[in-house]
Amino acid sequence: MTKKLWFQAGVGILLALLILKYFMEIKGIFAPLLIIAKTIFVPLLLGAVLFYVTEPLQRFLEKRKVPRWGSILAILISVAAVIWIFISIIGPPVVNQVDKLVKHAPFIAKEVTVQTENLIDVLQHREDFPPQINEWIDKAVNYIQTIAVVFGKLVVQFFQSVFQTAFTLILVPFFFIFLLKDHEKFAPFIYNFFSGKQQEWVKKTLKDINTVLRTYIQGQLLISFLLALIMLLGYWIIGLDYALLLVIFAFFMNVIPFIGPWIAFTPALIIGFLQDPQMVIWVSLVTLVAQQTDSNLITPNVMGKTLDIHPLTVITVILAAGNIAGFLGILLSIPAYAVGKVIVKNIYDRRKEIKLAATKNV
C-alpha cells in the first residue's frame, strides 16, 4: 500500500501541512526576512514582466550577432523611448480628464447616492409583485451588494498597490537589467545540484515553467492592449466621458482573466449612466463587442492551448486568491496555478517513466 500514488500523495500533503503549521507558530523569527522579501517582491515582479515583454527583442538582436551589452542597451533605449512617447502623447489628455474627474467627483458621488436610494425605494415598495419575482429581485440585490463590496475592496487595494509600488520603482531597473544580463544562469544554478535522470527532469520542468510564464505574460499583456484599443475606439465613437481614463483602468484590469473585464466595465457603466441613461446601452454594446472579439478571435490566436485551463477553474482560483491575498493574489493566481500544474504534470510523467522502466527490468 505504501507504494501507491494516493498514499504517497496523502503523506506528502500531511507533511506539508505540518511544516506549514509549525512555520506559522514560529513566524516571528522570520519576520525580518518576510519584510525584506515583501520589499523586494514587487520590483522583482515588475522587472520580470519587463524582461518577458522585451525578451523576444533580445533574442532577435542576439541571433544577429549583437553582443549582450548591445542588446541590453538597445532594449533600455527602446523602453525609455516608448515611455517618453506614451507620456508626451497620452499625458496631457490624461491630466485634463483627471482634473475634470476631480472637479466633478462630488456631483458623481451625489448622483450615485440618489440613484441608489431611488432603486432601494422602488425595491421596498413591491408588494404587488408575484412572489417569484420578489425572490428573484432579492437574489439580484444580494448579488449586486456582494459584487459592490468585492469591487470596492479591489479598487482600494489596486490604488494602494499603485502607491506602494511607486516607492519601490527605483529597484525595478536593477532587477530588469540583471534578468536581461544573466537570465540563462538561473536554470543551470538549480539543476546542477542534481545529476543523471533527476537533472534532466529538473531541467525540463524549469524549461516548461519558463515557457508557461513567458506565454502567459506576453499573451495577457497583448490581449489587454488590443482590448484597450477596441474599447478606446468604441468609447470615442459613442462619446463617453473620461474615455481615456476608463481605458487605462481597463488595460490593467483586463490582465486578470474573465473577471478583469467585468471590473473594468463597472465604472464605465456608472459614468455612462450619469452622462445619459441611454449611454448604458452603448457602453454595454462596446463591452460586448470587445469581449466577443477577445474570446473568439484574440485569445485563441494569442494564447492558444498553452495554458489549457478551464474557465471555471480560472474563476475559482481567482476568487479564492482574492479572498486570501487581495488584489495581488488575484493578479498572480493564474500564473501560479499554471506553474503548479506544470510541476504536477511533470512529476506524474516522471513517475510513469520510473514505473515503466521498473516493469521492463522485471
Side-chain angles (χ1 to χ4, degrees):
M1 184 181 70
T2 56
K3 293 183 179 181
K4 296 290 185 181
L5 177 61
W6 63 267
F7 180 83
Q8 294 177 355
V11 171
I13 292 170
L14 288 174
L15 287 174
L17 291 174
L18 283 172
I19 292 170
L20 183 62
K21 175 181 180 296
Y22 289 116
F23 177 80
M24 294 300 292
E25 289 180 357
I26 60 171
K27 63 181 180 181
I29 300 174
F30 301 98
L33 296 177
L34 290 174
I35 292 172
I36 294 172
K38 287 179 180 179
T39 304
I40 293 174
F41 177 74
V42 172
L44 179 59
L45 177 65
L46 293 175
V49 169
L50 281 173
F51 165 72
Y52 278 116
V53 169
T54 56
E55 184 260 350
L57 176 59
Q58 186 178 44
R59 263 190 291 122
F60 173 80
L61 292 173
E62 293 184 358
K63 280 182 180 179
R64 279 145 185 81
K65 308 301 181 183
V66 177
R68 175 57 55 89
W69 67 266
S71 66
I72 294 174
L73 183 61
I75 288 171
L76 292 177
I77 293 172
S78 301
V79 171
V82 169
I83 293 173
W84 181 81
I85 293 170
F86 180 82
I87 292 174
S88 52
I89 295 176
I90 306 296
V94 167
V95 171
N96 291 334
Q97 290 193 12
V98 169
D99 184 58
K100 182 181 175 183
L101 181 61
V102 170
K103 290 179 180 177
H104 288 79
F107 168 76
I108 293 173
K110 183 179 177 181
E111 281 297 310
V112 170
T113 303
V114 169
Q115 296 299 334
T116 304
E117 289 175 352
N118 290 339
L119 178 61
I120 292 172
D121 185 62
V122 170
L123 293 176
Q124 285 176 344
H125 298 83
R126 48 188 171 90
E127 293 84 0
D128 297 333
F129 289 1
Q132 189 174 8
I133 298 296
N134 285 330
E135 185 180 348
W136 288 347
I137 291 175
D138 288 334
K139 289 181 179 179
V141 170
N142 291 333
Y143 180 72
I144 291 171
Q145 289 175 342
T146 303
I147 292 294
V149 171
V150 173
F151 173 72
K153 289 181 179 178
L154 289 178
V155 170
V156 171
Q157 290 167 352
F158 170 75
F159 285 109
Q160 286 177 344
S161 299
V162 169
F163 289 122
Q164 290 170 358
T165 301
F167 291 105
T168 58
L169 282 179
I170 193 170
L171 294 175
V172 173
F174 294 100
F175 287 112
F176 179 40
I177 294 171
F178 169 76
L179 288 170
L180 287 172
K181 180 178 178 294
D182 294 325
H183 58 271
E184 298 102 334
K185 297 179 181 179
F186 175 72
F189 174 77
I190 294 177
Y191 65 66
N192 282 336
F193 285 104
F194 304 89
S195 61
K197 292 289 184 180
Q198 287 183 338
Q199 186 182 75
E200 292 179 10
W201 179 84
V202 173
K203 188 175 182 179
K204 178 182 179 300
T205 302
L206 292 174
K207 183 179 178 181
D208 291 343
I209 289 173
N210 180 60
T211 301
V212 166
L213 289 176
R214 182 176 65 244
T215 302
Y216 179 81
I217 292 172
Q218 294 176 355
Q220 207 61 38
L221 288 175
L222 179 58
I223 289 168
S224 189
F225 177 73
L226 294 175
L227 277 176
L229 285 180
I230 296 171
M231 293 171 72
L232 181 61
L233 179 62
Y235 289 166
W236 274 347
I237 290 173
I238 66 176
L240 182 65
D241 290 340
Y242 312 108
L244 196 55
L245 284 180
L246 292 170
V247 167
I248 291 173
F249 179 71
F251 171 79
F252 288 105
M253 291 300 101
N254 285 334
V255 173
I256 305 170
F258 293 98
I259 292 179
W262 294 107
I263 298 174
F265 173 64
T266 305
L269 192 68
I270 294 171
I271 295 295
F273 178 77
L274 296 178
Q275 180 181 341
D276 181 358
Q278 291 184 352
M279 189 66 75
V280 170
I281 299 173
W282 296 111
V283 171
S284 302
L285 185 61
V286 169
T287 303
L288 180 63
V289 170
Q291 292 308 310
Q292 288 300 312
T293 305
D294 170 42
S295 58
N296 293 304
L297 183 62
I298 299 174
T299 297
N301 288 294
V302 173
M303 301 294 281
K305 294 289 185 180
T306 304
L307 296 182
D308 193 24
I309 303 175
H310 194 275
L312 184 60
T313 303
V314 172
I315 294 171
T316 303
V317 170
I318 288 174
L319 291 176
N323 286 325
I324 295 170
F327 179 77
L328 196 60
I330 290 174
L331 200 61
L332 300 177
S333 59
I334 300 305
Y337 176 84
V339 168
K341 183 179 177 182
V342 165
I343 294 172
V344 171
K345 180 179 180 299
N346 281 333
I347 290 173
Y348 178 75
D349 291 342
R350 176 61 182 154
R351 287 186 59 85
K352 283 178 64 177
E353 289 179 8
I354 293 172
K355 285 185 177 181
L356 185 61
T359 304
K360 288 181 178 179
N361 291 333
V362 172

